[in-house]
Amino acid sequence: MKTILIAEDDKNQLLLYEQELSREGYNIITAKDGLEAVKKVKEHNPDLIIMDITMPKMNGIEAIGKILSEHKNIPIIINTAYSSYKDDFMSWSADAYVVKSSNLKELKDKVKELI
């Protein structure tokens, strides 16, 4: 079973993603901020990471930098409400960029593609 780390500070979104992706057959680990995400990657070595950008303690872009400095082969999907971050070259290190939507099809499709 493939393991996905979801880093998301919105509790409702986190719960939705966790439930939907669990139904797809994935083992889900969650983090409420970038700092916790970095810690959980070291503990669990997930197969894929879904990362929000705007989070407390450490934002997603900074967390991606720290994660990729030690774990270069873990695919990362940036999942954010802000399409403007696509132009930020720091986000280019992610494998995919998905703008949040109530329809999770695009996110699920990217997960399947990268796992």
Side-chain angles (χ1 to χ4, degrees):
M1 180 183 293
K2 299 288 186 178
T3 299
I4 298 173
L5 169 65
I6 304 171
E8 170 63 62
D9 64 320
D10 182 293
K11 289 178 187 141
N12 294 329
Q13 291 247 271
L14 186 60
L15 184 61
L16 174 66
Y17 297 153
E18 185 176 11
Q19 288 175 345
E20 288 288 322
L21 292 168
S22 290
R23 281 189 206 130
E24 300 278 321
Y26 301 108
N27 179 41
I28 305 299
I29 301 163
T30 63
K32 292 180 258 358
D33 57 62
L35 202 57
E36 187 178 359
V38 171
K39 182 180 164 213
K40 295 237 174 144
V41 167
K42 289 178 184 175
E43 292 170 359
H44 300 281
N45 197 23
D47 297 292
L48 180 115
I49 300 167
I50 298 172
M51 181 76 68
D52 187 14
I53 291 181
T54 308
M55 293 185 290
K57 296 185 183 174
M58 179 187 295
N59 72 39
I61 299 290
E62 191 178 346
I64 288 170
K66 289 189 180 299
I67 290 165
L68 289 178
S69 71
E70 294 180 29
H71 305 273
K72 292 177 180 22
N73 297 326
I74 300 175
I76 298 175
I77 298 172
I78 291 178
N79 187 52
T80 183
Y82 306 101
S83 61
S84 61
Y85 282 104
K86 260 187 185 174
D87 299 330
D88 182 337
F89 81 95
M90 290 298 289
S91 72
W92 298 352
S93 57
D95 297 275
Y97 191 104
V98 176
V99 176
K100 287 180 184 175
S101 163
S102 57
N103 180 350
L104 298 183
K105 182 180 177 351
E106 184 182 3
L107 181 61
K108 288 178 183 180
D109 288 348
K110 281 293 175 195
V111 167
K112 285 177 189 161
E113 179 186 319
L114 294 171
I115 277 189

